[in-house]
């Protein structure tokens, strides 16, 4: 299986001479970046490409999180259980996990535009079908297809950046995309909550369909091919499987991978259960839920920025990771005690504080598991990145239906899944990674 362009970003020199925004012009029109005559056009192209790729990066979290405030309404509308409706989240997440494995090699073989446009068209069709889904089972199927197609934006956006930029400029562009991907989950439920003021849950998918159509047209008109034919290649699936098997044989890498996946499971259990917990159990409105969800996302982003801007280079990544996992364990334990009634009826505020602490600590746990794993795999960074991403999505997809297994009237399953996931992540970190045996 060939590596995607995003994979090559971590281990191969670029084949395109790139300098700032001139690289964008070079990649999209073939004009040499050093030509002064195209400086203004290059700047415009660079800004346009930033907006297009930012839209592609934001689309998957929008697809996931705009829908969150509507989960209780979907349960009532389709006469389904909370656990069944939460499978619509699992299906979308599973599709995004598997789609990345499929689309990356396609883009290396056939270029970026064709797989991306195909993925966008399928995304629009799948999202439109969600609007008219008559049953939960069909909605689950359409959401799976939506996730599979939406994964094209995740993979190819990174690959296009790798095609166009190198060195510092590439790092800056990736930082911009990471900021967009961090902001999108914050605004998505806020948008979803406002949409629900004027329509029902089907209207959210109608809005996403329109967004998909607009983004498809923008990609078709303004995002040119960035992978030259001479740089495309075929690869065997056997080679990719052998590389991944070798990575999994590395005990420390596997420890970080599983720890990161379990941390993501704790995060996704919050994502899938919180609409019911906050709205159905504690009686908050969709707008209040959206506000709390946004505050928690801000906490994650702020702590993540503190980790990247302040702690890196000053504190061992393993120490930061261990501290983050410890806080998640304590927050999950506190949530279990509160939701199980040990402290009586505590109300929404203490539970919201516990969820905020848990979410904020993810800003230490998740980046450091990925960074420490990739530090060991310079020889196969692309395959390692694919393993880390896909395993996290799949483990998170398994956690989603478990949080609703006891129905809508209790938040205990959410807290149990979070605590078990957090303890499991800590056990993998200590038992497999054994940080005290290595200099971090």
């Amino acid at each position: 299986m060939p590596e995607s362009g995003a994979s090559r970003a971590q281990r191969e020199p670029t084949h395109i001479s790139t300098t700032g925004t001139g690289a964008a012009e070079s990649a999209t029109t073939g004009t040499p970046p050093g030509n002064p005559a195209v400086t203004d056009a290059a700047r415009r192209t660079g800004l346009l490409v930033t907006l297009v790729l930012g839209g592609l990066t934001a689309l998957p979290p929008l697809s996931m999180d705009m829908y969150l405030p509507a989960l209780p309404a979907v349960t009532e509308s389709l006469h389904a259980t909370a656990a069944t409706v939460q499978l619509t989240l699992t299906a979308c997440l599973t599709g995004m996990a598997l789609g990345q494995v499929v689309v990356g090699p396609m883009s290396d073989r056939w270029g970026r535009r064709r797989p991306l446009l195909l993925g966008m068209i399928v995304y629009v069709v799948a999202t439109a079908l969600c609007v008219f889904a008559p049953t939960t089972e069909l909605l689950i199927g359409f959401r799976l297809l939506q996730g599979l197609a939406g994964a094209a934006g995740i993979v190819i956006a990174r690959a296009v950046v790798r095609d166009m930029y190198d060195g510092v400029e590439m790092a800056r562009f990736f930082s911009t995309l990471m900021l967009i991907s961090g902001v999108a989950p914050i605004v998505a439920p806020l948008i979803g909550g406002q949409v629900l003021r004027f329509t029902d849950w089907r209207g959210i998918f109608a809005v996403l369909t329109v967004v998909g159509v607009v983004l498809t047209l923008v990609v078709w008109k303004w995002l040119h091919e960035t992978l030259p034919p001479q740089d495309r290649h075929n690869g065997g699936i056997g080679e990719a499987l052998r590389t991944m098997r070798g990575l999994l044989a590395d005990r420390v890498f596997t420890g970080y991978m599983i720890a990161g996946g379990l941390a993501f499971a704790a995060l996704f259990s919050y994502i899938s259960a919180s609409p019911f917990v906050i709205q159905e159990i504690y009686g908050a409105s969709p707008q209040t839920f959206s506000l709390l969800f946004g505050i928690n996302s801000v906490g994650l982003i702020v702590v993540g920025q503190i980790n990247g801007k302040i702690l890196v280079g000053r504190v061992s990544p393993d120490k930061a990771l261990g501290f983050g996992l410890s806080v998640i364990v304590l927050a999950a334990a506190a949530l279990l005690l509160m939701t199980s009634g040990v402290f009586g009826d505590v109300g929404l505020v203490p539970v919201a504080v516990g969820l905020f602490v848990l979410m904020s600590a993810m800003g230490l746990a998740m980046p450091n598991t990925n960074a420490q794993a990739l530090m060991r795999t310079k020889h196969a960074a692309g395959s390692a990145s694919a393993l880390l991403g896909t395993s996290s999505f799949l483990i998170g997809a398994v956690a989603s239906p478990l949080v609703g297994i006891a129905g809508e009237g209790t938040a205990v399953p959410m807290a149990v899944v979070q605590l078990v996931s957090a303890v499991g992540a800590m056990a993998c970190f200590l038992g497999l990674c054994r940080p005290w045996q290595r200099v971090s």
Side-chain angles (χ1 to χ4, degrees), residues 390-409:
T390 301
S391 62
S392 292
F393 275 101
L394 291 178
I395 294 174
V398 171
S400 175
L402 298 179
V403 299
I405 199 168
E408 303 173 34

Side-chain angles (χ1 to χ4, degrees), residues 32-108:
N35 187 346
V38 300
T39 300
D40 291 339
R43 290 187 181 129
R44 290 195 299 271
T45 301
L47 176 61
L48 182 59
V49 170
T50 301
L51 295 175
V52 174
L53 298 184
L56 292 172
T57 302
L59 190 59
L62 286 175
S63 303
M64 287 288 297
D65 296 337
M66 273 184 66
Y67 176 62
L68 294 180
L71 285 180
V74 177
T75 303
E76 182 179 354
S77 172
L78 298 181
H79 308 289
T81 65
T84 302
V85 171
Q86 282 160 344
L87 286 175
T88 62
L89 290 174
T90 301
C92 188
L93 191 66
T94 302
M96 290 181 185
L98 300 178
Q100 293 182 65
V101 179
V102 174
V103 175
M106 287 176 60
S107 72
D108 278 341

